Amino acid sequence: QVPLVESGGGSVQAGGSLRLSCVASGRIFSGYTLGWFRQAPGKERELVAAISSNGRTNYADSVKGRFTASRDGSKGTLDLQMNSMESGDTAVYYCAAGAVSIPTSRRELYRYWGQGTQVTVSS
């Protein structure tokens, strides 16, 4: 069973919105910090947003005020609502889960990763 499966990527014009969703298997949802990372061509994978199991959040400065991450324990999902999108948001977006108590940006602390979904913003 694949532990994390993303959906919702696609193409949008600058200023538009997209919503990403990640379904996590039950064994890695409770007690795990869940995060969205992204990787643009030629760049390192970076944190977009993370939510700990107790609801603490951590957002990249570049997305604060535009993106909102949320998790639903009853559904086992992690969503990312992306508004006022910019060309700089173009990347492959990954869902990740780590057995840590804080919404860390450290990639090495996230054990499970989704397959990634492409998001393209055209200007």
Side-chain angles (χ1 to χ4, degrees), residues 34-82:
L34 302 178
W36 286 102
F37 287 76
R38 67 185 181 187
Q39 187 167 18
K43 295 187 177 181
E44 291 191 355
R45 192 172 298 187
E46 63 176 2
L47 177 74
V48 176
I51 305 181
S52 66
S53 58
N54 62 4
R56 290 177 60 188
T57 57
N58 181 14
Y59 289 91
D61 288 341
S62 60
V63 306
K64 285 180 180 177
R66 300 189 299 121
F67 291 10
T68 303
S70 58
R71 60 189 289 168
D72 187 331
S74 64
K75 298 178 181 179
T77 58
L78 170 71
D79 292 339
L80 183 68
Q81 179 65 44
M82 303 183 290

Side-chain angles (χ1 to χ4, degrees), residues 17-37:
S17 299
L18 277 177
R19 187 177 183 87
L20 305 182
S21 185
C22 174
V23 179
S25 64
R27 66 184 175 89
I28 64 167
F29 192 90
S30 299
Y32 276 68
T33 283
L34 302 178
W36 286 102
F37 287 76

